[in-house]
Amino acid sequence: MRIVEAVVSTQSTGDMPEILWKAYIDFEVEEEEHDRVRALYKTLLARTSHVKVWISFANFEASVENFAQCRKVYEEGDRLLQGEEQKEERVLLLESWRDFEGSHGTEETRERIQKKMPRRVKKRRRLGGELGLHIPR
């Protein structure tokens, strides 16, 4: 299976089906080769910034109880997605991060993530203004 490493490192993401990346990462997880898993995720993230990869990487770090590194992965993904203005993808990442903090965080970390969550803004418009009508208050 590790012979795939050479193929993975030389192929672009378009040439490398997602299932092959996942299979190789899963293999290294089963072998408890955590440094290799991290290297694979970093290689993949250098090629794509897909939110599923960020979440999967963070979940891996949480699964090996490396909570500080898990938070770093979420922070880096959040910065990148925010910079690329990928709003929907960022919300997915933040929701995953919020769930993680709900299980493993403190009140402080939960509040910090809650502040990052987008808020829905209701826009109000004046009814009378557009038609030239006066509406008493």
Side-chain angles (χ1 to χ4, degrees):
M1 184 68 167
R2 287 201 176 116
I3 197 139
V4 176
E5 182 176 16
V7 175
V8 168
S9 64
T10 60
Q11 298 293 312
S12 71
T13 53
D15 297 338
M16 198 65 167
E18 180 180 321
I19 195 157
L20 187 54
W21 280 98
K22 180 163 177 21
Y24 188 36
I25 289 170
D26 289 347
F27 171 77
E28 295 296 358
V29 168
E30 288 175 21
E31 294 295 311
E32 297 182 12
E33 292 287 347
H34 300 155
D35 290 336
R36 284 182 178 268
V37 173
R38 288 180 186 99
L40 282 170
Y41 274 118
K42 288 175 184 179
T43 300
L44 184 55
L45 286 168
R47 297 163 185 252
T48 180
S49 62
H50 197 281
V51 68
K52 286 183 180 182
V53 179
W54 286 107
I55 292 170
S56 180
F57 190 10
N59 288 339
F60 161 72
E61 293 293 359
S63 74
V64 295
E65 297 186 3
N66 193 345
F67 301 137
Q69 187 61 34
C70 178
R71 286 183 182 95
K72 285 181 184 179
V73 170
Y74 278 124
E75 288 168 2
E76 189 177 343
D78 181 44
R79 267 193 311 276
L80 186 102
L81 294 174
Q82 188 175 24
E84 293 180 357
E85 296 186 18
Q86 295 185 33
K87 294 177 184 179
E88 292 174 12
E89 291 84 355
R90 183 172 178 250
V91 169
L92 291 173
L93 183 81
L94 290 173
E95 287 172 346
S96 176
W97 192 356
R98 182 187 58 201
D99 294 345
F100 164 77
E101 294 296 351
S103 301
H104 304 288
T106 63
E107 188 62 36
E108 182 182 326
T109 59
R110 285 189 278 277
E111 285 177 14
R112 197 173 97 220
I113 301 313
Q114 195 58 42
K115 288 178 184 176
K116 289 179 171 278
M117 295 298 289
R119 292 168 193 79
R120 294 180 190 236
V121 177
K122 291 184 180 180
K123 294 186 179 183
R124 297 180 184 197
R125 50 174 223 218
R126 282 182 73 173
L127 292 175
E130 292 177 5
L131 300 173
L133 303 173
H134 175 69
I135 300 175
R137 293 183 190 200

